[in-house]
Amino acid sequence: MEILYIDPMAGASGDMFLGALVDLGVDFEELRETLRALNVKGFDLKKSETTRHAIAATKVDVIVEDVPHPHRHLKDLLQIIEASPLTDSVKEKSERVLTRLAEAESAAHNMPLEKVHLHEVGGLDCLVDVVGSVLGIEALGVEEVYSAAVGLGVGFQKCAHGTMPVPVPGTLAILKDFPVRRTDFPYEMTTPTGAALIATLAKPAKAPFSFTPKQIGYGAGTRDPKEVANMLRLIRAEIPGHNNQDHDHSHHHHDHSHDHQHTH
């Protein structure tokens, strides 16, 4: 069976996911074109090659035009997704991630769901990060997604509401019931968007978890701190099928995705 193994050793964010997926082989131009189908103006994607602590990684940035943007609430983002020509599977997963994000912010700040502005995580870049990550994972054609424990920082950070503890309440609310690993790095490592993608799309990988790596992708975070290589590692891997039926299915699935890759 083919899986995607998420290794958030230095945490996770939306742009780290996009970078790691492109690094893993997801076609950047195709991703950019498909995201245009959201039919929202004012953003673009930019790709660059970089390193973090001498490890080669891909950085993908969502560039939001510096013009006034409407304040979008959850229902506005869900409407944009519903109106797009994306597949039902991409729509459903993207909507679940965004809803989880908004519900956690709502609970953390004691605010009605319909009043939550995803502006702390940026309405438009949040939408593009989430839909782009879901599109990238779908493009890999894996059957299951697993994640190691999510790296979290400590300390405090300033934001629009004041000074918040790290991890910020929204991130921690999203990761309720998901394994995390607290470090002593004094900054935010996992953003609410990164947390929502993992907690919604992945199952926790219970140790010991063995797999056969097939492809590896590294997505760089914006910051380049001295304490840690700030990157998200994604591993496309194989694990034995649970039974013969599964094995046959995964074998067929693998052939199909292999053919699909040749057609690009």
Side-chain angles (χ1 to χ4, degrees):
M1 178 166 81
E2 282 209 319
I3 66 156
L4 178 66
Y5 182 79
I6 302 170
D7 183 6
M9 52 195 170
S13 63
D15 60 337
M16 285 160 90
F17 260 102
L18 293 176
L21 284 161
V22 169
D23 205 58
L24 196 60
V26 171
D27 188 297
F28 175 74
E29 289 305 333
E30 204 169 295
L31 186 64
R32 200 169 159 210
E33 278 309 305
T34 312
L35 284 166
R36 291 209 172 114
L38 285 169
N39 208 16
V40 181
K41 292 187 173 41
F43 78 91
D44 198 8
L45 290 193
K46 193 183 80 168
K47 175 180 89 143
S48 53
E49 302 308 316
T50 186
T51 59
R52 293 288 179 268
H53 288 237
I55 302 166
T58 299
K59 178 89 176 81
V60 171
D61 290 294
V62 179
I63 311 294
V64 176
E65 280 176 31
D66 191 13
V67 295
H69 290 279
H71 274 309
R72 294 185 177 98
H73 296 91
L74 176 65
K75 71 172 190 331
D76 304 314
L77 299 182
L78 299 184
Q79 276 166 0
I80 290 167
I81 291 170
E82 272 307 317
S84 75
L86 297 166
T87 66
D88 287 347
S89 172
V90 168
K91 284 181 181 179
E92 186 268 328
K93 290 188 174 96
S94 300
E95 288 168 2
R96 268 198 296 137
V97 175
L98 287 166
T99 301
R100 184 157 192 156
L101 196 53
E103 283 173 348
E105 295 292 329
S106 160
H109 303 297
N110 194 19
M111 187 188 284
L113 190 61
E114 62 277 5
K115 287 224 162 60
V116 171
H117 274 188
L118 293 175
H119 66 138
E120 280 287 343
V121 279
L124 187 52
D125 55 349
C126 175
L127 174 72
V128 175
D129 278 341
V130 168
V131 177
S133 299
V134 170
L135 275 167
I137 292 170
E138 289 275 301
L140 295 174
V142 295
E143 289 179 68
E144 296 277 7
V145 181
Y146 289 92
S147 177
V150 181
L152 299 176
V154 295
F156 291 88
Q157 73 168 32
K158 290 187 164 51
C159 62
H161 300 303
T163 302
M164 287 209 188
V166 172
V168 297
T171 295
L172 212 47
I174 290 161
L175 291 169
K176 194 169 166 287
D177 299 325
F178 205 93
V180 299
R181 193 173 48 80
R182 199 169 160 81
T183 70
D184 54 5
F185 303 138
Y187 41 77
E188 183 179 51
M189 294 169 69
T190 297
T191 65
T193 305
L197 284 162
I198 292 174
T200 310
L201 303 177
K203 298 175 179 171
K206 300 212 169 40
F209 190 84
S210 58
F211 52 80
T212 307
K214 294 293 182 187
Q215 285 166 293
I216 299 142
Y218 292 91
T222 303
R223 204 187 268 114
D224 189 9
K226 62 182 188 301
E227 294 91 349
V228 66
N230 186 24
M231 47 175 50
L232 175 68
R233 178 158 53 189
L234 295 182
I235 304 169
R236 186 184 185 144
E238 296 222 328
I239 58 173
H242 300 306
N243 55 37
N244 286 342
Q245 196 179 349
D246 264 9
H247 193 69
D248 290 343
H249 173 66
S250 77
H251 184 68
H252 170 72
H253 188 86
H254 181 66
D255 285 350
H256 172 71
S257 68
H258 191 65
D259 291 345
H260 182 65
Q261 278 168 351
H262 275 307
T263 60
H264 282 324

